[in-house]
Amino acid sequence: VYKRQVVERSLNPDGTPAEPDDGLGPITHTATATVRPFSVIVTVHKQGLNCDVGVTVCDNTLPGAEFMVYKSDPLAPNAPAGVPLTNTDGSATFVTGKLPVNDDYWLVETKAPDGFQLLPQPIKFYLTHEGITLDAASASGLITADTASFTITIVDVPAAELPKAGGEGTLPYLA
């Protein structure tokens, strides 16, 4: 609950507050307040296994990935549509629009780079004005959050190569 008191005071010609006889007394007090954002932008950084978490420069940009953020569990029946993250420079860095704080969100990879796997499940995270908390049940050791910068880092796993299958079969041996 916020309380607000509005006091109107006029100014003298020199810009100093006039002190009317309003019963409030002279203006001698100042107030300070901590301003916290009501919404923040979250950055998602995707990197390959050859990049280490915390490395500031990584050459593996993994073009071709796409992400969406959802306000509710996207696997639930009748889940509302997600909002795509933007990537304007072709790098592996994506950003959300402004997301209201003190709420849960789900991050979904909708397209993986060539030769890589999609995230196996949505990543649930809780967003506050102080940072991001990943939900332990939906995250993994390859997904980390940097609270100070509102950044989620995803280390991508290359797709496993399927074994070669097929061959002559048994037909040549039946004759």
mmCIF file of all heavy atoms in Angstrom, residues 167-175:
data_model
loop_
_atom_site.group_PDB
_atom_site.id
_atom_site.type_symbol
_atom_site.label_atom_id
_atom_site.label_comp_id
_atom_site.label_asym_id
_atom_site.label_seq_id
_atom_site.Cartn_x
_atom_site.Cartn_y
_atom_site.Cartn_z
ATOM 1 N N GLY A 167 21.312 -51.410 -45.836
ATOM 2 C CA GLY A 167 22.308 -52.280 -46.426
ATOM 3 C C GLY A 167 21.660 -53.178 -47.471
ATOM 4 O O GLY A 167 20.548 -52.941 -47.945
ATOM 5 N N GLU A 168 22.352 -54.228 -47.802
ATOM 6 C CA GLU A 168 21.870 -55.122 -48.835
ATOM 7 C C GLU A 168 20.666 -55.940 -48.401
ATOM 8 O O GLU A 168 19.871 -56.395 -49.208
ATOM 9 C CB GLU A 168 22.993 -56.097 -49.234
ATOM 10 C CG GLU A 168 24.208 -55.423 -49.781
ATOM 11 C CD GLU A 168 25.322 -56.407 -50.040
ATOM 12 O OE1 GLU A 168 25.269 -57.564 -49.554
ATOM 13 O OE2 GLU A 168 26.245 -56.040 -50.758
ATOM 14 N N GLY A 169 20.555 -56.159 -47.146
ATOM 15 C CA GLY A 169 19.491 -57.028 -46.674
ATOM 16 C C GLY A 169 19.847 -58.490 -46.894
ATOM 17 O O GLY A 169 20.998 -58.842 -47.152
ATOM 18 N N THR A 170 18.874 -59.357 -46.836
ATOM 19 C CA THR A 170 19.133 -60.802 -46.992
ATOM 20 C C THR A 170 18.913 -61.323 -48.405
ATOM 21 O O THR A 170 19.211 -62.467 -48.698
ATOM 22 C CB THR A 170 18.215 -61.590 -46.026
ATOM 23 O OG1 THR A 170 16.866 -61.270 -46.327
ATOM 24 C CG2 THR A 170 18.519 -61.253 -44.587
ATOM 25 N N LEU A 171 18.391 -60.482 -49.303
ATOM 26 C CA LEU A 171 18.084 -60.922 -50.653
ATOM 27 C C LEU A 171 19.289 -61.533 -51.374
ATOM 28 O O LEU A 171 19.152 -62.603 -52.003
ATOM 29 C CB LEU A 171 17.505 -59.766 -51.466
ATOM 30 C CG LEU A 171 17.002 -60.116 -52.874
ATOM 31 C CD1 LEU A 171 15.913 -61.180 -52.802
ATOM 32 C CD2 LEU A 171 16.512 -58.899 -53.597
ATOM 33 N N PRO A 172 20.492 -60.970 -51.337
ATOM 34 C CA PRO A 172 21.615 -61.585 -52.062
ATOM 35 C C PRO A 172 21.966 -62.998 -51.562
ATOM 36 O O PRO A 172 22.527 -63.790 -52.279
ATOM 37 C CB PRO A 172 22.778 -60.627 -51.828
ATOM 38 C CG PRO A 172 22.163 -59.340 -51.422
ATOM 39 C CD PRO A 172 20.865 -59.678 -50.772
ATOM 40 N N TYR A 173 21.607 -63.335 -50.363
ATOM 41 C CA TYR A 173 21.982 -64.620 -49.798
ATOM 42 C C TYR A 173 20.914 -65.708 -50.017
ATOM 43 O O TYR A 173 21.102 -66.845 -49.661
ATOM 44 C CB TYR A 173 22.258 -64.472 -48.301
ATOM 45 C CG TYR A 173 23.309 -63.425 -48.021
ATOM 46 C CD1 TYR A 173 22.996 -62.188 -47.501
ATOM 47 C CD2 TYR A 173 24.641 -63.686 -48.320
ATOM 48 C CE1 TYR A 173 23.949 -61.227 -47.253
ATOM 49 C CE2 TYR A 173 25.624 -62.732 -48.082
ATOM 50 C CZ TYR A 173 25.278 -61.510 -47.561
ATOM 51 O OH TYR A 173 26.255 -60.594 -47.342
ATOM 52 N N LEU A 174 19.786 -65.328 -50.587
ATOM 53 C CA LEU A 174 18.709 -66.295 -50.796
ATOM 54 C C LEU A 174 18.851 -67.066 -52.107
ATOM 55 O O LEU A 174 18.165 -68.034 -52.330
ATOM 56 C CB LEU A 174 17.351 -65.572 -50.775
ATOM 57 C CG LEU A 174 16.983 -64.944 -49.429
ATOM 58 C CD1 LEU A 174 15.663 -64.195 -49.577
ATOM 59 C CD2 LEU A 174 16.885 -65.983 -48.337
ATOM 60 N N ALA A 175 19.695 -66.667 -52.969
ATOM 61 C CA ALA A 175 19.796 -67.315 -54.276
ATOM 62 C C ALA A 175 20.597 -68.582 -54.279
ATOM 63 O O ALA A 175 21.302 -69.081 -53.575
ATOM 64 C CB ALA A 175 20.393 -66.351 -55.277
#
